[in-house]
Amino acid sequence: MFVREPSDEIIDAWRKGLTAVCEAQPEGAIGKAASDILDVLQDKNANESVRSEFFRLFWHPEGPAVSPLASTHVEGKPFGQYLVRLRSFLGKTPFRKIEGYMETEDSLAFHLDLMRSMIKEENENDCPQVKEQWQALQRELMNEYMSEWIDLPFAQLEKRDPEPFYQRVA
């Protein structure tokens, strides 16, 4: 959602993923939020609208830019000490940025991918001690890193002129 201009294939994958969440948790808060986002994606011009929003928000903003980089929010500039600290944290995990991944480690997209990957590892493991290790890493990522800034780009999105898709994501 924040890495690069979304292609038709990426938007179709979002639709499938959001539909699966809606079906799995139709009455839960996550299911309702997914349904709200999915509503925007059902419009026949949704793909072009989402791409246009992405362009306005992240590439050539009309108004203040919304930065998806943690360092920008924490330190006021990209690629700062936050990125150094996060890379040190990554050394505790088996995860590494793969070649071709477009975003830096301090990007919102990378944080969300990392958290998703840690949750997946926890859920796929049967050993209670290993599950606890994954949970500890998730808590550390959330409490020591993401909590410093994660609400700031979403607050910026909510203050913008109507951006139906990304405001609902926020």
Side-chain angles (χ1 to χ4, degrees):
M1 290 182 188
F2 302 97
V3 178
R4 62 183 171 273
E5 183 179 31
S7 66
D8 289 340
E9 294 79 21
I10 289 171
I11 296 171
D12 287 341
W14 294 346
R15 281 188 190 96
K16 289 177 186 171
L18 290 166
T19 299
V21 170
C22 291
E23 290 171 358
Q25 297 188 6
E27 299 301 318
I30 292 175
K32 290 177 182 177
S35 178
D36 191 38
I37 296 168
L38 193 57
D39 285 347
V40 175
L41 295 178
Q42 299 307 335
D43 183 89
K44 68 177 183 171
N45 298 318
N47 291 15
E48 189 52 44
S49 295
V50 169
R51 277 192 286 278
S52 178
E53 276 187 51
F54 180 91
F55 189 78
R56 285 192 313 272
L57 289 169
F58 302 110
W59 284 1
H60 292 286
E62 297 166 1
V66 177
S67 176
L69 300 180
S71 295
T72 303
H73 295 286
V74 174
E75 301 169 51
K77 63 180 183 179
F79 315 115
Q81 287 301 307
Y82 180 95
L83 180 58
V84 173
R85 286 183 20 239
L86 184 63
R87 286 178 175 163
S88 177
F89 168 77
L90 285 172
K92 299 177 185 181
T93 76
F95 303 117
R96 300 295 177 265
K97 183 177 162 181
I98 60 172
E99 189 174 329
Y101 191 85
M102 297 180 65
E103 294 292 314
T104 66
E105 292 92 330
D106 74 334
S107 71
L108 177 57
F110 188 87
H111 282 78
L112 296 176
D113 283 346
L114 179 60
M115 184 63 82
R116 179 194 50 77
S117 297
M118 290 192 296
I119 291 168
K120 181 178 182 230
E121 290 294 325
E122 174 198 351
N123 289 337
E124 290 178 351
N125 204 298
D126 294 326
C127 176
Q129 292 86 359
V130 174
K131 280 184 170 294
E132 175 52 39
Q133 290 172 341
W134 284 114
Q135 291 169 357
L137 287 169
Q138 292 166 39
R139 280 191 300 277
E140 184 176 352
L141 178 62
M142 182 58 75
N143 296 333
E144 301 298 322
Y145 297 92
M146 294 175 78
S147 67
E148 287 184 67
W149 68 278
I150 195 73
D151 59 328
L152 299 173
F154 294 117
Q156 289 175 335
L157 282 171
E158 290 172 352
K159 290 178 184 176
R160 295 287 304 242
D161 288 334
E163 303 285 357
F165 178 73
Y166 282 94
Q167 280 186 338
R168 289 185 187 197
V169 170

